Amino acid sequence: MDKIDILSLDLNELEDILAANGEKKFRAKQIFQWLHVKRVFDFDKMTDISVQLRQRLKEIFCINGLFTQKKLESCMDNTVKYLYRLSDGNFVETVLMEYSYGHSICVSTQVGCKMGCRFCASAIAGFVRSLEPSEILMQIYETERDAGVHVSGVVLMGIGEPLDNFDNVVKFLSLLSHKDGNNLSLRHVSLSTCGIVPRIYDLAELKLGLTLSVSLHCPDDKGRSEIMPVNRTYHIDSLIQACRDYIDKTGRRVTFEYAVIDGVNSSDNDADKLADLLRGINCHVNLIPVNKVKERNYHTARSGVADFAKRLGKRGINATVRRTLGSDIEAACGQLRRDAAEHDNLNGGAVK
Ligand code: SAH
């Protein structure tokens, strides 16, 4: 029988498995805290558990660790990008960012991505599999351990589409915020989606308190379907309707991500259409100068983003230009990859 991935279990599940194995239920909380508070990932080091039970735990459970394959530090800011090897040999990337208020981490939710957005490096090598809750969580635990920092914000904006791995992502969120475990308020978490409409409704029902970010990138169906294939299934009107529902149900403002790309979505007309589309919605627009992906030829003129923001502002739409961090180590939005070989091609940053 396969061993059970203990780091993907919530406290109730752990209690039930221990009870089914003839153990006392209260042991579950002790073990849960060893894992999620003390971050001890070796049953032999759980010193208040009897030697017999530790042995039994080793027979029943496995601890799904990940290993640092490579670490790159930006020369421009304090951003650090980790390439983590998973227990099956696949890779994911994780980015640690430093802000004035503390550290924020960008985690991956899948190995590769199915969504095929034209401007995004994560889509280039295709999709392998979704991550387990433990594999998303361990990106945080391992990065905190390595960097010696406490992460105060989490963004689900790394490789993969979080709403295409809905159940595991929701489980990850419940573990991340568990009061007997890591206990991070989901107010400090943002989940970014390319717009899988039915799952936005599902997420709204859960009322988790996190910030929903929607990667919009184009104000009309024709243009959006060209750069984001998901739009051929879920058109903009249905996406906006789902966002309105999310805002109604959760009381939270939605963020729209918009990577400004010269000659694709950056004209005055695009800004006007975007303003019309979002008028009256409780939202914020995050403009991103498109980050370089070597296989693609997309650019943004710096002045283009500022002009776009100004034009939106004049039409009553609240927009900010997102600061790009870690672009010299390909750690910026849309630059993460599932492929270890790609890392050998990087020039910038210090390779550890
Ligand atoms: N699949 C999710 C999360 C991963 S991408 C999503 O689509 O939202 C995180 C953010 O980076 C998204 O807003 C995405 O559209 C954006 N992005 C992708 N490639 C980019 C690029 N080359 N430049 C700037 N932003 C990019």
Coordinates of all heavy atoms in Angstrom, one line a residue, residues 238-330:
S238 N -18.9 36.5 -19.7 CA -19.2 35.6 -18.6 C -18.2 35.7 -17.5 O -18.4 35.5 -16.3 CB -19.2 34.1 -19.2 OG -18.0 33.7 -19.6
L239 N -16.9 36.1 -17.9 CA -15.9 36.3 -16.9 C -16.2 37.5 -16.0 O -16.1 37.4 -14.7 CB -14.5 36.5 -17.6 CG -13.3 36.8 -16.8 CD1 -13.1 35.7 -15.7 CD2 -12.1 37.0 -17.6
I240 N -16.6 38.5 -16.6 CA -17.0 39.7 -15.8 C -18.2 39.4 -14.9 O -18.2 39.9 -13.7 CB -17.3 40.9 -16.7 CG1 -16.0 41.3 -17.5 CG2 -17.8 42.1 -16.0 CD1 -14.8 41.8 -16.7
Q241 N -19.1 38.7 -15.4 CA -20.3 38.3 -14.6 C -19.9 37.5 -13.4 O -20.3 37.7 -12.3 CB -21.3 37.5 -15.5 CG -22.7 37.4 -14.9 CD -23.2 38.8 -14.4 OE1 -23.1 39.8 -15.1 NE2 -23.8 38.8 -13.2
A242 N -18.9 36.6 -13.6 CA -18.4 35.8 -12.5 C -17.7 36.6 -11.5 O -17.8 36.4 -10.2 CB -17.5 34.7 -13.0
C243 N -17.0 37.6 -11.9 CA -16.3 38.6 -11.0 C -17.3 39.4 -10.2 O -17.1 39.6 -9.0 CB -15.3 39.5 -11.8 SG -14.0 38.6 -12.6
R244 N -18.3 39.8 -10.9 CA -19.4 40.6 -10.1 C -20.0 39.7 -9.0 O -20.2 40.1 -7.9 CB -20.5 41.0 -11.1 CG -20.1 42.1 -12.0 CD -21.4 42.5 -12.8 NE -21.1 43.5 -13.8 CZ -21.0 44.8 -13.6 NH1 -21.2 45.3 -12.4 NH2 -20.7 45.7 -14.6
D245 N -20.2 38.4 -9.4 CA -20.7 37.5 -8.4 C -19.8 37.3 -7.2 O -20.1 37.3 -6.0 CB -21.0 36.1 -9.0 CG -21.4 35.1 -8.1 OD1 -22.6 35.1 -7.7 OD2 -20.6 34.2 -7.6
Y246 N -18.5 37.2 -7.5 CA -17.4 37.1 -6.5 C -17.4 38.3 -5.6 O -17.4 38.1 -4.3 CB -16.0 36.9 -7.2 CG -15.0 36.5 -6.2 CD1 -14.7 35.2 -5.9 CD2 -14.3 37.5 -5.5 CE1 -13.7 34.9 -4.9 CE2 -13.3 37.2 -4.6 CZ -13.0 35.9 -4.3 OH -12.1 35.5 -3.4
I247 N -17.5 39.4 -6.1 CA -17.5 40.7 -5.3 C -18.8 40.7 -4.4 O -18.7 41.0 -3.2 CB -17.5 41.9 -6.2 CG1 -16.1 41.9 -7.0 CG2 -17.6 43.2 -5.4 CD1 -16.1 42.8 -8.2
D248 N -20.0 40.4 -5.0 CA -21.2 40.4 -4.3 C -21.1 39.4 -3.1 O -21.5 39.7 -2.0 CB -22.4 39.9 -5.1 CG -22.8 41.0 -6.1 OD1 -22.3 42.2 -5.9 OD2 -23.6 40.7 -7.0
K249 N -20.7 38.2 -3.4 CA -20.7 37.1 -2.3 C -19.6 37.4 -1.3 O -19.8 37.0 -0.1 CB -20.4 35.8 -3.0 CG -21.6 35.3 -3.9 CD -21.9 33.8 -3.6 CE -23.2 33.4 -4.3 NZ -23.0 33.0 -5.7
T250 N -18.5 37.9 -1.6 CA -17.4 38.0 -0.7 C -17.2 39.4 -0.1 O -16.4 39.5 0.9 CB -16.0 37.5 -1.3 OG1 -15.7 38.5 -2.4 CG2 -16.1 36.1 -1.9
G251 N -17.7 40.4 -0.8 CA -17.5 41.8 -0.3 C -16.0 42.2 -0.6 O -15.6 43.3 -0.2
R252 N -15.3 41.4 -1.4 CA -13.9 41.8 -1.7 C -13.8 42.4 -3.1 O -14.5 42.0 -4.0 CB -13.0 40.5 -1.7 CG -13.1 39.7 -0.4 CD -12.2 40.2 0.7 NE -10.8 40.1 0.3 CZ -9.8 40.7 1.0 NH1 -10.1 41.5 1.9 NH2 -8.6 40.4 0.6
R253 N -12.9 43.3 -3.2 CA -12.5 44.0 -4.5 C -11.7 43.0 -5.3 O -10.9 42.3 -4.8 CB -11.7 45.2 -4.2 CG -11.4 46.1 -5.3 CD -10.7 47.3 -4.8 NE -9.3 47.1 -4.5 CZ -8.4 48.1 -4.5 NH1 -8.7 49.3 -4.6 NH2 -7.1 47.8 -4.3
V254 N -12.0 42.9 -6.6 CA -11.2 42.1 -7.5 C -10.1 42.9 -8.2 O -10.3 44.1 -8.5 CB -12.1 41.4 -8.6 CG1 -11.4 40.8 -9.7 CG2 -13.1 40.4 -8.0
T255 N -9.0 42.2 -8.4 CA -7.9 42.9 -9.1 C -7.8 42.3 -10.5 O -8.0 41.1 -10.7 CB -6.5 42.6 -8.5 OG1 -6.5 43.1 -7.1 CG2 -5.4 43.2 -9.2
F256 N -7.7 43.2 -11.5 CA -7.5 42.8 -12.9 C -6.1 43.0 -13.3 O -5.6 44.1 -13.2 CB -8.5 43.5 -13.9 CG -9.9 43.1 -13.7 CD1 -10.8 43.8 -12.9 CD2 -10.4 41.9 -14.2 CE1 -12.1 43.4 -12.7 CE2 -11.7 41.5 -14.0 CZ -12.6 42.3 -13.3
E257 N -5.4 42.0 -13.8 CA -4.1 42.1 -14.2 C -4.1 42.4 -15.7 O -4.9 41.8 -16.5 CB -3.3 40.8 -14.0 CG -3.4 40.2 -12.6 CD -2.5 40.9 -11.6 OE1 -1.6 41.6 -12.0 OE2 -2.8 40.8 -10.4
Y258 N -3.2 43.3 -16.1 CA -3.2 43.7 -17.5 C -1.8 43.9 -18.0 O -1.2 45.0 -17.6 CB -4.1 45.0 -17.8 CG -4.5 45.3 -19.2 CD1 -5.8 45.0 -19.6 CD2 -3.6 45.8 -20.1 CE1 -6.2 45.3 -20.9 CE2 -4.0 46.1 -21.4 CZ -5.3 45.8 -21.8 OH -5.7 46.1 -23.1
A259 N -1.2 43.0 -18.7 CA 0.2 43.2 -19.2 C 0.1 44.0 -20.5 O -0.5 43.5 -21.4 CB 0.8 41.8 -19.4
V260 N 0.7 45.2 -20.4 CA 0.5 46.1 -21.6 C 1.6 45.6 -22.7 O 2.8 45.6 -22.4 CB 0.8 47.5 -21.2 CG1 0.6 48.5 -22.3 CG2 -0.2 47.9 -20.0
I261 N 1.1 45.3 -23.8 CA 1.9 44.8 -24.9 C 1.8 45.7 -26.1 O 0.7 45.8 -26.7 CB 1.6 43.3 -25.3 CG1 1.4 42.4 -24.0 CG2 2.6 42.7 -26.2 CD1 0.9 41.0 -24.3
D262 N 2.9 46.2 -26.6 CA 2.9 47.1 -27.7 C 2.2 46.4 -28.9 O 2.6 45.3 -29.3 CB 4.3 47.5 -28.1 CG 4.9 48.5 -27.1 OD1 4.1 49.0 -26.3 OD2 6.1 48.8 -27.3
G263 N 1.3 47.1 -29.6 CA 0.8 46.6 -30.8 C -0.3 45.5 -30.6 O -0.8 45.0 -31.6
V264 N -0.5 45.1 -29.4 CA -1.5 44.1 -29.1 C -2.7 44.6 -28.3 O -3.8 44.4 -28.7 CB -0.8 42.9 -28.3 CG1 -1.8 41.8 -27.9 CG2 0.3 42.3 -29.2
N265 N -2.4 45.3 -27.2 CA -3.5 45.7 -26.3 C -3.2 47.0 -25.7 O -3.7 47.3 -24.6 CB -3.7 44.6 -25.2 CG -2.5 44.5 -24.3 OD1 -1.5 45.2 -24.5 ND2 -2.5 43.6 -23.4
S266 N -2.4 47.9 -26.3 CA -1.9 49.1 -25.6 C -2.4 50.4 -26.2 O -1.9 51.5 -25.8 CB -0.3 49.1 -25.7 OG 0.1 49.2 -27.1
S267 N -3.3 50.3 -27.1 CA -3.8 51.6 -27.8 C -4.7 52.4 -26.9 O -5.3 51.8 -25.9 CB -4.5 51.2 -29.1 OG -5.7 50.6 -28.8
D268 N -5.0 53.6 -27.3 CA -5.9 54.5 -26.5 C -7.3 53.8 -26.6 O -8.1 53.8 -25.6 CB -6.0 55.8 -27.2 CG -4.8 56.7 -26.9 OD1 -4.0 56.2 -26.1 OD2 -4.7 57.7 -27.5
N269 N -7.6 53.2 -27.7 CA -8.9 52.6 -27.9 C -9.0 51.4 -26.9 O -10.1 51.2 -26.3 CB -9.0 52.1 -29.4 CG -10.4 51.6 -29.7 OD1 -11.4 52.1 -29.1 ND2 -10.5 50.6 -30.6
D270 N -7.9 50.6 -26.7 CA -8.0 49.5 -25.8 C -8.2 50.0 -24.4 O -9.0 49.5 -23.6 CB -6.7 48.7 -25.8 CG -6.4 47.9 -27.1 OD1 -7.4 47.3 -27.5 OD2 -5.3 47.9 -27.6
A271 N -7.6 51.1 -24.0 CA -7.8 51.7 -22.6 C -9.2 52.2 -22.5 O -9.8 51.9 -21.4 CB -6.8 52.9 -22.4
D272 N -9.8 52.8 -23.5 CA -11.2 53.2 -23.4 C -12.1 52.0 -23.3 O -13.1 52.1 -22.5 CB -11.5 54.1 -24.7 CG -10.8 55.4 -24.7 OD1 -10.1 55.7 -23.7 OD2 -10.8 56.0 -25.8
K273 N -11.9 51.0 -24.1 CA -12.7 49.8 -24.0 C -12.6 49.1 -22.6 O -13.6 48.7 -22.1 CB -12.3 48.8 -25.1 CG -12.9 49.1 -26.4 CD -13.0 47.8 -27.3 CE -11.9 47.9 -28.3 NZ -11.8 46.7 -29.2
L274 N -11.4 49.1 -22.1 CA -11.2 48.5 -20.7 C -12.0 49.3 -19.7 O -12.6 48.7 -18.8 CB -9.7 48.5 -20.4 CG -9.3 47.8 -19.1 CD1 -9.7 46.4 -19.0 CD2 -7.8 47.9 -18.9
A275 N -11.9 50.6 -19.8 CA -12.6 51.5 -18.8 C -14.1 51.2 -18.9 O -14.8 51.2 -17.9 CB -12.3 53.0 -19.1
D276 N -14.6 51.1 -20.2 CA -16.1 50.9 -20.3 C -16.4 49.5 -19.7 O -17.5 49.4 -19.0 CB -16.5 50.9 -21.8 CG -16.4 52.3 -22.4 OD1 -16.4 53.2 -21.6 OD2 -16.4 52.4 -23.6
L277 N -15.6 48.5 -19.9 CA -15.8 47.2 -19.4 C -15.9 47.1 -17.9 O -16.7 46.4 -17.3 CB -14.7 46.2 -19.9 CG -14.9 44.7 -19.6 CD1 -16.0 44.1 -20.4 CD2 -13.6 44.0 -20.0
L278 N -15.0 47.9 -17.2 CA -14.9 47.8 -15.8 C -15.7 48.8 -15.0 O -15.7 48.8 -13.8 CB -13.4 47.8 -15.4 CG -12.5 46.7 -16.0 CD1 -11.1 46.8 -15.5 CD2 -13.1 45.3 -15.8
R279 N -16.3 49.7 -15.7 CA -17.0 50.8 -15.0 C -18.0 50.3 -14.1 O -18.8 49.4 -14.4 CB -17.6 51.8 -16.0 CG -18.2 53.0 -15.4 CD -18.3 54.2 -16.4 NE -17.0 54.6 -16.9 CZ -16.6 54.6 -18.1 NH1 -17.5 54.1 -19.0 NH2 -15.4 55.0 -18.5
G280 N -18.0 50.8 -12.8 CA -19.0 50.4 -11.9 C -18.7 49.1 -11.1 O -19.4 48.8 -10.2
I281 N -17.6 48.5 -11.4 CA -17.2 47.3 -10.7 C -16.2 47.6 -9.6 O -15.3 48.5 -9.8 CB -16.5 46.3 -11.7 CG1 -17.5 45.9 -12.8 CG2 -16.0 45.0 -11.0 CD1 -16.9 44.9 -13.9
N282 N -16.4 47.0 -8.5 CA -15.4 47.3 -7.3 C -14.1 46.6 -7.6 O -13.9 45.4 -7.2 CB -16.1 46.8 -6.0 CG -15.2 47.1 -4.8 OD1 -14.3 47.9 -4.9 ND2 -15.6 46.4 -3.7
C283 N -13.2 47.3 -8.3 CA -12.0 46.6 -8.8 C -10.8 47.5 -8.8 O -10.9 48.7 -8.6 CB -12.2 46.0 -10.1 SG -12.3 47.2 -11.5
H284 N -9.7 46.9 -9.0 CA -8.4 47.7 -9.2 C -7.7 47.1 -10.4 O -7.8 45.9 -10.6 CB -7.6 47.4 -7.9 CG -6.3 48.1 -8.0 ND1 -6.1 49.4 -7.7 CD2 -5.1 47.6 -8.3 CE1 -4.8 49.7 -7.8 NE2 -4.2 48.6 -8.2
V285 N -7.1 47.9 -11.2 CA -6.3 47.4 -12.3 C -4.8 47.5 -12.0 O -4.3 48.5 -11.6 CB -6.7 48.2 -13.6 CG1 -5.8 47.7 -14.8 CG2 -8.1 48.0 -14.0
N286 N -4.2 46.3 -12.2 CA -2.7 46.3 -12.1 C -2.1 46.2 -13.5 O -2.3 45.2 -14.2 CB -2.4 44.9 -11.3 CG -1.4 45.1 -10.2 OD1 -0.6 46.1 -10.2 ND2 -1.5 44.3 -9.3
L287 N -1.4 47.2 -13.9 CA -0.8 47.2 -15.2 C 0.6 46.7 -15.0 O 1.4 47.0 -14.1 CB -0.7 48.6 -15.8 CG -2.1 49.3 -16.0 CD1 -1.9 50.7 -16.5 CD2 -2.9 48.5 -17.1
I288 N 1.0 45.7 -15.9 CA 2.4 45.1 -15.9 C 3.0 45.4 -17.2 O 2.5 45.0 -18.2 CB 2.3 43.6 -15.7 CG1 1.2 43.2 -14.7 CG2 3.6 43.0 -15.3 CD1 0.8 41.7 -14.7
P289 N 4.2 46.0 -17.2 CA 5.0 46.0 -18.5 C 5.3 44.6 -18.8 O 5.7 43.8 -17.9 CB 6.3 46.8 -18.1 CG 6.1 47.3 -16.7 CD 5.0 46.5 -16.1
V290 N 5.0 44.1 -20.0 CA 5.1 42.7 -20.3 C 6.6 42.3 -20.1 O 7.5 43.0 -20.5 CB 4.6 42.3 -21.8 CG1 5.5 42.9 -22.8 CG2 4.4 40.8 -21.9
N291 N 6.8 41.2 -19.4 CA 8.2 40.7 -19.2 C 8.7 39.9 -20.3 O 7.9 39.2 -20.9 CB 8.2 40.0 -17.8 CG 7.9 40.9 -16.6 OD1 8.6 41.9 -16.5 ND2 7.0 40.5 -15.8
K292 N 10.0 40.0 -20.5 CA 10.6 39.3 -21.7 C 10.6 37.8 -21.6 O 10.9 37.2 -20.5 CB 12.1 39.8 -21.7 CG 12.7 39.7 -23.1 CD 14.0 40.4 -23.1 CE 14.8 40.1 -24.4 NZ 14.9 38.7 -24.7
V293 N 10.1 37.2 -22.6 CA 10.2 35.7 -22.7 C 10.9 35.5 -24.0 O 10.5 35.9 -25.1 CB 8.8 35.1 -22.8 CG1 8.8 33.7 -23.1 CG2 8.0 35.4 -21.4
K294 N 12.1 34.7 -24.0 CA 13.0 34.7 -25.1 C 12.3 34.1 -26.4 O 12.7 34.5 -27.5 CB 14.3 34.1 -24.8 CG 14.3 32.6 -24.5 CD 15.8 32.2 -24.4 CE 16.0 30.7 -24.0 NZ 15.0 29.9 -23.6
E295 N 11.4 33.2 -26.2 CA 10.8 32.6 -27.4 C 9.7 33.5 -28.0 O 9.2 33.2 -29.1 CB 10.1 31.3 -27.0 CG 11.0 30.1 -26.5 CD 11.3 30.2 -25.1 OE1 11.1 31.3 -24.4 OE2 11.9 29.2 -24.5
R296 N 9.4 34.6 -27.4 CA 8.3 35.4 -27.9 C 8.9 36.8 -28.1 O 9.9 37.2 -27.5 CB 7.2 35.5 -26.8 CG 6.6 34.2 -26.4 CD 5.7 33.6 -27.4 NE 5.1 32.4 -26.9 CZ 5.3 31.2 -27.5 NH1 6.1 31.1 -28.4 NH2 4.7 30.1 -27.0
N297 N 8.1 37.6 -28.9 CA 8.7 38.9 -29.3 C 7.7 40.0 -28.8 O 7.4 40.9 -29.5 CB 8.8 38.9 -30.8 CG 9.9 39.9 -31.2 OD1 10.7 40.3 -30.3 ND2 10.0 40.3 -32.4
Y298 N 7.3 39.9 -27.5 CA 6.4 41.0 -27.0 C 7.2 42.0 -26.3 O 8.2 41.7 -25.5 CB 5.4 40.3 -26.1 CG 4.4 39.4 -26.7 CD1 4.3 38.1 -26.3 CD2 3.7 39.9 -27.8 CE1 3.3 37.3 -26.9 CE2 2.7 39.1 -28.4 CZ 2.6 37.8 -28.0 OH 1.7 36.9 -28.6
H299 N 6.8 43.3 -26.4 CA 7.5 44.4 -25.8 C 6.5 45.4 -25.2 O 5.4 45.4 -25.6 CB 8.3 45.3 -26.8 CG 9.3 44.5 -27.5 ND1 10.6 44.2 -27.0 CD2 9.3 43.9 -28.7 CE1 11.2 43.5 -27.9 NE2 10.5 43.3 -28.9
T300 N 7.0 46.2 -24.3 CA 6.2 47.3 -23.8 C 7.1 48.6 -23.7 O 8.2 48.5 -23.1 CB 5.8 47.1 -22.3 OG1 5.2 45.8 -22.2 CG2 4.8 48.2 -21.9
A301 N 6.7 49.7 -24.3 CA 7.4 50.9 -24.1 C 7.0 51.4 -22.7 O 5.9 51.4 -22.4 CB 7.0 51.9 -25.2
R302 N 8.0 51.9 -21.9 CA 7.8 52.3 -20.6 C 6.7 53.4 -20.5 O 5.8 53.4 -19.7 CB 9.1 52.8 -19.9 CG 9.0 53.1 -18.5 CD 10.4 53.0 -17.9 NE 10.9 51.7 -17.8 CZ 10.6 50.9 -16.8 NH1 9.7 51.2 -15.9 NH2 11.1 49.6 -16.7
S303 N 6.8 54.4 -21.5 CA 5.9 55.5 -21.5 C 4.5 55.0 -21.8 O 3.5 55.5 -21.4 CB 6.3 56.5 -22.6 OG 6.3 55.8 -23.8
G304 N 4.4 53.8 -22.6 CA 3.1 53.2 -23.0 C 2.3 52.9 -21.8 O 1.1 53.1 -21.7
V305 N 2.9 52.3 -20.8 CA 2.2 51.8 -19.6 C 1.7 53.0 -18.8 O 0.5 53.1 -18.4 CB 3.1 51.0 -18.6 CG1 2.3 50.3 -17.5 CG2 3.8 49.9 -19.4
A306 N 2.5 54.0 -18.7 CA 2.1 55.2 -17.9 C 1.0 55.9 -18.6 O 0.0 56.4 -18.0 CB 3.3 56.2 -17.8
D307 N 1.1 56.1 -19.9 CA 0.0 56.7 -20.7 C -1.3 55.9 -20.5 O -2.4 56.5 -20.4 CB 0.3 56.8 -22.2 CG 1.5 57.8 -22.4 OD1 1.8 58.5 -21.5 OD2 2.0 57.7 -23.5
F308 N -1.2 54.6 -20.6 CA -2.4 53.7 -20.5 C -3.0 53.9 -19.1 O -4.2 54.1 -19.0 CB -1.9 52.3 -20.6 CG -3.0 51.3 -21.1 CD1 -3.3 51.1 -22.4 CD2 -3.7 50.6 -20.1 CE1 -4.3 50.2 -22.8 CE2 -4.7 49.7 -20.5 CZ -5.0 49.5 -21.8
A309 N -2.2 54.0 -18.0 CA -2.7 54.2 -16.7 C -3.4 55.5 -16.6 O -4.5 55.6 -16.0 CB -1.5 54.1 -15.7
K310 N -2.8 56.6 -17.2 CA -3.4 57.9 -17.1 C -4.7 57.9 -17.8 O -5.7 58.5 -17.2 CB -2.4 58.9 -17.8 CG -2.2 60.2 -17.0 CD -1.3 61.1 -17.8 CE 0.2 60.8 -17.5 NZ 1.1 61.6 -18.4
R311 N -4.8 57.3 -18.9 CA -6.1 57.3 -19.7 C -7.2 56.6 -18.9 O -8.3 57.0 -18.9 CB -5.8 56.7 -21.0 CG -6.8 57.1 -22.1 CD -6.4 56.7 -23.5 NE -7.6 57.0 -24.3 CZ -7.7 58.1 -25.1 NH1 -6.8 59.0 -25.1 NH2 -8.8 58.2 -25.8
L312 N -6.8 55.5 -18.2 CA -7.8 54.8 -17.4 C -8.2 55.6 -16.3 O -9.4 55.7 -16.0 CB -7.2 53.5 -16.9 CG -7.0 52.3 -17.8 CD1 -6.3 51.1 -17.1 CD2 -8.3 51.8 -18.4
G313 N -7.2 56.3 -15.6 CA -7.5 57.2 -14.5 C -8.5 58.2 -14.9 O -9.5 58.5 -14.1
K314 N -8.3 58.9 -16.0 CA -9.2 59.9 -16.5 C -10.6 59.4 -16.7 O -11.6 60.2 -16.6 CB -8.7 60.5 -17.8 CG -7.7 61.6 -17.6 CD -7.5 62.4 -18.9 CE -6.2 63.2 -18.8 NZ -5.5 63.2 -20.0
R315 N -10.7 58.1 -17.0 CA -12.1 57.5 -17.2 C -12.6 56.9 -15.9 O -13.5 56.0 -15.9 CB -12.0 56.6 -18.3 CG -12.1 57.3 -19.7 CD -11.5 56.5 -20.8 NE -11.5 57.3 -22.0 CZ -10.7 58.4 -22.2 NH1 -9.8 58.8 -21.3 NH2 -10.9 59.1 -23.3
G316 N -12.0 57.2 -14.8 CA -12.5 56.8 -13.5 C -12.1 55.4 -13.0 O -12.7 54.8 -12.1
I317 N -11.1 54.8 -13.7 CA -10.7 53.4 -13.3 C -9.3 53.5 -12.6 O -8.3 54.1 -13.1 CB -10.5 52.5 -14.6 CG1 -11.8 52.4 -15.4 CG2 -10.0 51.1 -14.2 CD1 -13.0 51.8 -14.6
N318 N -9.3 52.9 -11.4 CA -8.2 52.9 -10.5 C -7.1 52.0 -11.0 O -7.3 50.8 -11.0 CB -8.8 52.5 -9.2 CG -7.8 52.6 -8.0 OD1 -6.7 52.9 -8.2 ND2 -8.3 52.2 -6.9
A319 N -6.0 52.5 -11.5 CA -4.9 51.6 -12.0 C -3.6 52.0 -11.4 O -3.2 53.1 -11.3 CB -4.9 51.7 -13.5
T320 N -2.8 50.9 -11.1 CA -1.4 51.2 -10.7 C -0.5 50.3 -11.7 O -0.9 49.3 -12.2 CB -1.1 50.7 -9.3 OG1 -1.7 49.4 -9.1 CG2 -1.7 51.6 -8.3
V321 N 0.8 50.8 -11.7 CA 1.7 50.1 -12.5 C 2.5 49.2 -11.6 O 3.1 49.7 -10.6 CB 2.7 51.0 -13.3 CG1 3.7 50.2 -14.1 CG2 1.9 51.9 -14.2
R322 N 2.6 47.9 -11.9 CA 3.2 47.0 -10.9 C 4.7 47.1 -11.1 O 5.3 47.1 -12.2 CB 2.8 45.6 -11.1 CG 3.4 44.7 -10.1 CD 3.3 43.2 -10.3 NE 1.9 42.8 -10.1 CZ 1.6 41.6 -10.5 NH1 2.4 40.8 -11.2 NH2 0.3 41.1 -10.3
R323 N 5.4 47.2 -10.0 CA 6.9 47.2 -10.0 C 7.4 45.8 -10.4 O 6.9 44.8 -9.9 CB 7.4 47.4 -8.6 CG 8.6 48.3 -8.5 CD 8.9 48.6 -7.0 NE 10.1 47.9 -6.6 CZ 10.3 47.4 -5.4 NH1 9.4 47.5 -4.5 NH2 11.5 46.9 -5.1
T324 N 8.3 45.7 -11.3 CA 8.8 44.4 -11.7 C 10.0 44.0 -10.9 O 11.0 44.8 -10.8 CB 9.2 44.4 -13.2 OG1 8.0 44.6 -14.0 CG2 9.9 43.2 -13.7
L325 N 9.9 42.9 -10.3 CA 11.1 42.4 -9.4 C 11.7 41.2 -10.1 O 11.0 40.3 -10.6 CB 10.6 42.0 -8.0 CG 10.0 43.1 -7.1 CD1 9.5 42.6 -5.8 CD2 11.1 44.2 -6.8
G326 N 13.0 41.1 -9.9 CA 13.7 39.9 -10.3 C 13.8 39.6 -11.8 O 13.9 38.4 -12.2
S327 N 13.7 40.6 -12.7 CA 13.6 40.3 -14.1 C 15.0 39.8 -14.6 O 15.1 39.1 -15.6 CB 13.2 41.5 -14.9 OG 14.0 42.6 -14.6
D328 N 16.1 40.2 -13.9 CA 17.4 39.7 -14.3 C 17.6 38.2 -14.1 O 18.5 37.6 -14.7 CB 18.6 40.5 -13.6 CG 18.5 40.4 -12.1 OD1 17.4 40.3 -11.5 OD2 19.6 40.5 -11.5
I329 N 16.8 37.6 -13.2 CA 16.9 36.2 -13.0 C 15.7 35.5 -13.5 O 15.4 34.3 -13.1 CB 17.2 35.9 -11.5 CG1 16.1 36.5 -10.6 CG2 18.6 36.2 -11.1 CD1 16.1 36.1 -9.1
E330 N 15.0 36.1 -14.4 CA 13.7 35.6 -15.0 C 12.8 35.1 -13.9 O 12.3 34.0 -13.9 CB 14.1 34.5 -16.0 CG 14.8 35.0 -17.2 CD 14.8 34.2 -18.4 OE1 14.2 33.0 -18.3 OE2 15.3 34.6 -19.4

